[in-house]
Structure formats: C-alpha cells, structure tokens
Amino acid sequence: MSVSEAAPGTARRAWRSHGVRLGVLVVLVAAVACADLFAGRGVAAGGVPAVLLGGGDPMAQHIVLQLRLPRLLVALVAGASLGVAGLVLQSALRNPLAGPEVTGVTPGAVLGAVAATGLGLAGWDSPAAVVAAACLGGFAGAGLLWLLAGREKGDPEQTAVYGVLVSAVLAGLTAVVLLVAPGELGSVVQWLIGSTEGRVWQHWHLLWPWAAVWGAAAWLLAAPLTLLRCGDEQASAAGLDAGRGRAA
C-alpha cells in the first residue's frame, strides 16, 4: 500500500479517535453539571426535574433556578475560558507550562482588583467594576512581561523566567496593598483560589459576553497560534510574521 493510499485511513482513524475523546468529555461535563444541580440541601433530588419542567414549590424553584443554575453556568463557562486562556498562552509563548498565573496575568489581575477595591473604586457589590480593574491589571502584567521578554525574540525559556519574575513582583505589590488595606485579604484569597459561591444571574450576564467575544477571537487566531507552536522559523517559512502573530 502506498503512502497516498494509507493517508486517508490514518486521517479517518485520527478523526474517529478525536470524536471519541470529545464525546467522553461531553458526557463527563454533562454528568458533573447534573450532579451540581442535584447535589445540596433544601431540594430533594426528585424535586429538581419537577422545577426544570415548570413545577415545584416556590422555595425549590428559587434554589434551583436562582442559585444552582447560574452557579453552574458560571462555573462551566469560567472554567472553559481559563482553558482557552491557557491554550492561547502556551501556543503563543511555545511553553507547555505557560499559564495566566506564571505570565503576570493572574497576579496583575489580582493586584488590579484588590487595589481598586481598597481604594473604594470597586467592590463585590459591583462586579463589573471589579472585572474592569482586574482586566486592566492583567493587561498591565502581560504588558510588563512583553516589554521584558521582547516581542521579536520568542524564546520560551527566557519568557518563562521573565514571567516568574514579573509574577513575583506583582505579588509583592499586592502584599504592599494589603499592608495599607488589610481588610482586603479575603478578596486576594478569593481571586487567587477562585470560587463560585454566591454566583447569581448578574454574574452570568456579565460573564457570557466576554467569553463569547474572546472565545471567537481565539478561534479566529487558531491558525497563527498553531504555526507559532511550531517555532518562529517554521511560522516565517509558512508566511506568518511571528512578531505580529504573537502580538495578536
């Protein structure tokens, strides 16, 4: 059998394997989602389907529709967004260990959110302001790494070292802010560890447009990200300006 004859069969097997993995992932996510809706006090397991079908008593409806369902949606979409963020960083920086927490993004976001909250510019009663402050801090942390590592170099090892240094500096600045506003320690812990406690429909309405827009942007950049994973020389040979692609 020639290589050209074997290639279609290999491609079909690869797509079949990919489809199986995707199907298993969907089943697991659906199982976890159902468990989150059914688990907990206040509503018996048999009462959840009744509520979803439009029945149930007012208390059960409130617990399922106003507490559990928005918390579930926020957890799923936020987790997916974090996964996309890690994939984009790993592809652009060509480092399988790259992530928001070691590239200055997460420490910068924590610093921005905590500083804005400590200064009274934002608060947990205004999630939009907290998100805006966190985004500004995250972009500042990533921009600092960008300036240190250099746009054109694309050295994964050097970028990783600078990322750890930038993250350490931003974490130190967060500690300084805590000396001025020690009451914000709980906010720091929540931002570093993450929590879906108290997530309601207001948080979902704030989250999904961001996830949709940036998810679409990541999808549109899938081709240059794939080339960047192969290295700058290979990307340039394929016609991609590595510097511009990494900037995007």
Side-chain angles (χ1 to χ4, degrees):
M1 181 182 295
S2 64
V3 175
S4 59
E5 292 174 340
T10 303
R12 283 194 297 269
R13 286 192 296 271
W15 277 106
R16 190 179 300 112
S17 176
H18 177 73
V20 170
R21 290 195 297 268
L22 181 60
V24 171
L25 177 61
V26 171
V27 171
L28 290 176
V29 171
V32 173
C34 291
D36 188 69
L37 280 180
F38 282 84
R41 301 177 180 178
V43 180
V48 176
V51 171
L52 296 178
L53 293 175
D57 59 83
M59 179 61 71
Q61 292 179 355
H62 177 77
I63 292 176
V64 175
L65 299 180
Q66 302 302 323
L67 299 179
R68 294 184 184 179
L69 186 57
R71 180 184 63 192
L72 168 64
L73 294 176
V74 168
L76 289 175
V77 176
S81 299
L82 289 173
V84 172
L87 179 62
V88 169
L89 285 172
Q90 291 170 10
S91 300
L93 301 180
R94 291 193 295 125
N95 191 325
L97 300 179
E101 66 280 358
V102 292
T103 52
V105 178
T106 293
V110 173
L111 176 60
V114 173
T117 306
L119 294 174
L121 302 177
W124 295 109
D125 56 342
S126 56
V130 176
V131 168
C135 286
L136 290 176
F139 276 118
L144 182 57
L145 173 62
W146 191 261
L147 292 176
L148 292 175
R151 182 169 69 94
E152 299 293 343
K153 296 178 181 178
D155 188 330
E157 291 78 13
Q158 186 183 52
T159 303
V161 172
Y162 280 128
V164 173
L165 293 176
V166 169
S167 299
V169 170
L170 294 176
L173 292 177
T174 302
V176 172
V177 173
L178 289 178
L179 293 177
V180 180
E184 299 304 319
L185 178 59
S187 302
V188 174
V189 173
Q190 187 167 12
W191 273 94
L192 287 176
I193 300 177
S195 174
T196 57
E197 180 182 1
R199 302 302 92 177
V200 293
W201 287 114
Q202 180 185 7
H203 300 95
W204 165 250
H205 295 319
L206 177 68
L207 171 64
W208 76 261
W210 289 76
V213 170
W214 291 108
W219 180 74
L220 292 174
L221 291 172
L225 284 172
T226 302
L227 290 176
L228 287 175
R229 289 177 67 95
C230 300
D232 289 4
E233 294 183 359
Q234 290 81 353
S236 299
L240 175 68
D241 187 316
R244 293 180 179 179
R246 188 167 289 109

